[in-house]
Amino acid sequence: HCDIAAPQATAAGILADAVGLFRTQFPGISLRIQTSENAHDIERLVRTGKCELALTTEKVAPPLLEEVCSVQSNLAVFPPGTDVQEGVLPHSAFAGKPLIVPTGIYQYYGGFLLDIPSGLEQPVLAVETDSRQALIPLVLSGAGITFLPTGLATHAQRLGCVVREINPPLTQEIRLIMRQGPLSPAALEFRRAVYSLNPETSAT
């Protein structure tokens, strides 16, 4: 088997797609996925050898190795019934709006920055939460707006949230991290599956 670590928000996107592809190609190999919203926990799982690979949006310190394997787009997610203009929203659309954000992230929200034009009110920090799983329920309750990767935003839309694209786009780099040295055959194949989902990147 192969042990992989990832934040839950990442696990809902590229990790799920890679796992599905890997299992189709190698049904005899099991995968064990460990999730944590703490970037240091993810890094420690790889550093200690408990997981051979991890997907994360955070940079890691040597001696761990990292590769940018994907760029993840994020969409704005509004409470159900919100009157939002159709089409792609400029950053100015979020001036003065209440935001729901992961704990410790406000101006630099999840690896991307809202560029509110000068003279407009900055967004308001409405709710901070340690749980990424709470983001969609909080938006559904009307507590504020959040930003989610495309896969999670689509799920939120099915639940009734109003979802819009943003220009300039809000993106995050997804990194594949590992220890120095050779990977197991299973880990090598999983790494190949990750890159095959993103033709603009390539595994060496």
Side-chain angles (χ1 to χ4, degrees), residues 69-70 198:
C69 60
S70 179
N198 301 277

Side-chain angles (χ1 to χ4, degrees), residues 153-172:
T154 300
H155 174 64
Q157 189 172 37
R158 288 196 294 266
L159 294 175
C161 293
V162 177
V163 174
R164 293 290 186 270
E165 295 183 20
I166 307 154
N167 185 44
L170 298 179
T171 60
Q172 291 169 293

Side-chain angles (χ1 to χ4, degrees), residues 125-141:
L125 176 58
V127 181
E128 277 188 292
T129 175
D130 286 327
S131 172
R132 300 278 177 135
Q133 291 178 311
L135 292 174
I136 292 176
L138 284 166
V139 175
L140 287 168
S141 76

Side-chain angles (χ1 to χ4, degrees), residues 176-198:
L176 188 67
I177 65 173
M178 65 204 78
R179 291 186 297 172
Q180 296 188 36
L183 294 172
S184 69
L188 281 170
E189 292 299 338
F190 185 82
R191 177 173 173 263
R192 188 171 289 115
V194 169
Y195 278 99
S196 71
L197 295 168
N198 301 277

